[in-house]
Amino acid sequence: MLIQLNQSISIEEKEKIEGVVAALGYKTTPVKTQVGEYVIGIGKKDFDIRQIGRLPGITDIHRVSDDYKLVSRKWKVKRTVIDLGDGVEIGNGSLSIMAGPCSIESEEQIEATIAHLIENKVSIMRGGVFKPRSSPYAFRGLGAEGLKLWASMARAAGIKIISEVMQVSQVEEMYDYVDVFQVGARNTQNFNLLDELGHIDKPVMIKRGISGTLEELLSSAEYVFSGGNERLILCERGIRTYEKASRNTMDVNAIPILKEKTHLPVIADPSHGVGLRQYVEPIALASIMAGADGIIYEIHQQPEKAFSDAQQTLDFSESQRLVERARKVFELRENF
Ligand code: PEP
Ligand code: MN
């Protein structure tokens, strides 16, 4: 059960509601976010909803049977829009495009990437400064210094940035510099990190775990929401299957399923989803057709020289073609 509280509710009214819900045999959890206040009731006992509905301080009561509740579309049919400021929004019914290198490498690379994004009217740049690498000997990112340089260049150009946060201590370190925190596939179930991201008011994009189910992804989002942060985005980035012809298997199914189950925006990452440059475009277009609110993909001015994920990185002309085609496919979808 999810109870939406009035904005003007008093402490006494809140305590009364929690008491009545608890007396019905439900475990209660109060949730306060940037947007609203809720009481989550977990329990199975059947009861007459009017026992609660008449209590002062309640806006609405919803029976949500899913394990995840706040991110469920069963109570909030209206879609969540993530406002990054300066007219940049995700999930507002337009196609969001985020592109950039796997890893931030140098000032020249940032400059070249920003110029490419501006030329193609792309307003969000991706890039990792703290990189989760399978091998400890691989390039692990430029760290906070790289982020500061990138952020100052991006801000000067009016570009928003999204970057991966790997651990709790980095939330504060990165806070002033990123517009969206990315939780990577290896950290989708880092519950301490999710708790910490629940306490901030910056948008968070959570990627699906490499072998994670959609239910697990939604539960991870529930962690952040129930911690107080409603500014959430989900990302399908492919899962590990028995297939070896591609790095991962892009689960295009996930897109319409997530769109039905949650009110949060859903972004597709075809770069990690398929892992091979020549298939990034078709998988991106398929994801848009399947209902994605946007795409995030990897680009580099010289992909073969990229410090990480070179094999799945597009060059700028491939990226330009993808942007053009993505917008065409999106138009087609919207005008069915
Ligand atoms: C990335 O975006 O570069 C990345 C490491 O992604 P994922 O967490 O999906 O592997
Ligand atoms: Mn990558």
Side-chain angles (χ1 to χ4, degrees):
M1 168 176 30
L2 188 157
I3 304 172
Q4 277 179 279
L5 305 179
N6 288 346
Q7 298 219 305
S8 55
I9 190 169
S10 67
I11 293 172
E12 296 72 39
E13 286 170 339
K14 225 182 292 180
E15 281 172 359
K16 169 95 180 151
I17 294 164
E18 285 180 47
V20 172
V21 176
L24 289 168
Y26 278 65
K27 179 186 173 294
T28 61
T29 307
V31 172
K32 188 170 169 43
T33 73
Q34 317 98 337
V35 179
E37 280 199 65
Y38 315 84
V39 173
I40 302 298
I42 305 289
K44 291 232 168 348
K45 269 179 129 179
D46 209 14
F47 65 93
D48 185 344
I49 208 154
R50 286 172 297 186
Q51 283 175 268
I52 317 171
R54 291 203 194 93
L55 295 174
I58 291 179
T59 307
D60 218 339
I61 304 175
H62 313 265
R63 289 184 195 267
V64 183
S65 49
D66 302 321
D67 282 344
Y68 50 89
K69 302 195 186 295
L70 292 155
V71 303
S72 172
R73 205 159 168 243
K74 287 191 179 151
W75 74 276
K76 185 171 179 251
V77 179
K78 196 161 163 265
R79 300 218 173 260
T80 291
V81 177
I82 308 297
D83 187 355
L84 304 187
D86 304 314
V88 182
E89 289 184 336
I90 298 172
N92 66 355
S94 66
L95 180 71
S96 295
I97 300 181
M98 315 181 207
C102 179
S103 302
I104 297 295
E105 299 167 4
S106 66
E107 187 172 343
E108 297 70 48
Q109 177 214 37
I110 299 169
E111 199 171 84
T113 309
I114 288 177
H116 169 73
L117 298 182
I118 290 174
E119 202 181 316
N120 290 282
K121 298 190 170 49
V122 172
S123 42
I124 308 173
M125 180 167 163
R126 61 143 288 143
V129 291
F130 298 110
K131 296 302 301 176
R133 303 303 302 276
S134 304
S135 163
Y137 310 117
F139 177 64
R140 292 163 75 178
L142 293 182
E145 287 313 307
L147 177 60
K148 286 180 194 167
L149 171 70
W150 174 27
S152 71
M153 292 171 73
R155 279 201 187 139
I159 296 280
K160 304 292 177 191
I161 67 179
I162 173 167
S163 195
E164 176 166 356
V165 56
M166 295 216 300
Q167 60 185 37
V168 171
S169 64
Q170 289 164 355
V171 174
E172 202 184 331
E173 204 175 359
M174 295 172 75
Y175 185 85
D176 289 334
Y177 306 99
V178 295
D179 298 292
V180 183
F181 281 99
Q182 173 176 314
V183 175
R186 291 155 194 81
N187 268 311
T188 312
Q189 290 192 308
N190 178 342
F191 299 117
N192 291 332
L193 180 61
L194 298 175
D195 275 340
E196 190 66 21
L197 292 166
H199 300 143
I200 61 166
D201 59 3
K202 279 238 166 133
V204 177
M205 183 177 86
I206 308 180
K207 288 192 164 196
R208 180 177 184 181
I210 293 171
S211 52
T213 64
L214 296 181
E215 175 126 358
E216 284 165 341
L217 173 62
L218 289 161
S219 298
S220 295
E222 187 82 7
Y223 258 87
V224 181
F225 199 135
S226 64
N229 188 359
E230 296 197 20
R231 305 182 72 196
L232 284 164
I233 303 159
L234 302 178
C235 178
E236 167 58 43
R237 50 79 72 205
I239 47 174
R240 183 164 289 176
T241 68
Y242 48 79
E243 183 50 65
K244 293 210 163 39
S246 53
R247 180 182 178 190
N248 290 303
T249 297
M250 183 68 174
D251 182 10
V252 178
N253 298 359
I255 296 165
I257 295 173
L258 288 172
K259 292 288 293 181
E260 189 203 28
K261 289 191 181 298
T262 175
H263 50 83
L264 302 175
V266 177
I267 299 294
D269 175 348
S271 304
H272 296 86
V274 64
L276 294 165
R277 182 177 308 134
Q278 65 270 37
Y279 308 123
V280 169
E281 181 185 298
I283 296 305
L285 301 182
S287 302
I288 294 168
M289 218 47 185
D293 294 287
I295 51 173
I296 184 166
Y297 64 94
E298 294 181 333
I299 57 173
H300 196 283
Q301 70 279 24
Q302 282 179 292
E304 61 293 348
K305 296 212 170 132
F307 289 4
S308 55
D309 283 351
Q311 75 292 345
Q312 66 192 30
T313 295
L314 303 187
D315 65 24
F316 290 169
S317 68
E318 289 162 334
S319 170
Q320 180 169 14
R321 195 177 76 166
L322 173 54
V323 170
E324 283 164 13
R325 294 189 171 177
R327 290 186 174 135
K328 276 192 199 155
V329 166
F330 179 73
E331 277 302 304
L332 182 66
R333 180 188 99 191
E334 292 300 290
N335 293 305
F336 261 168

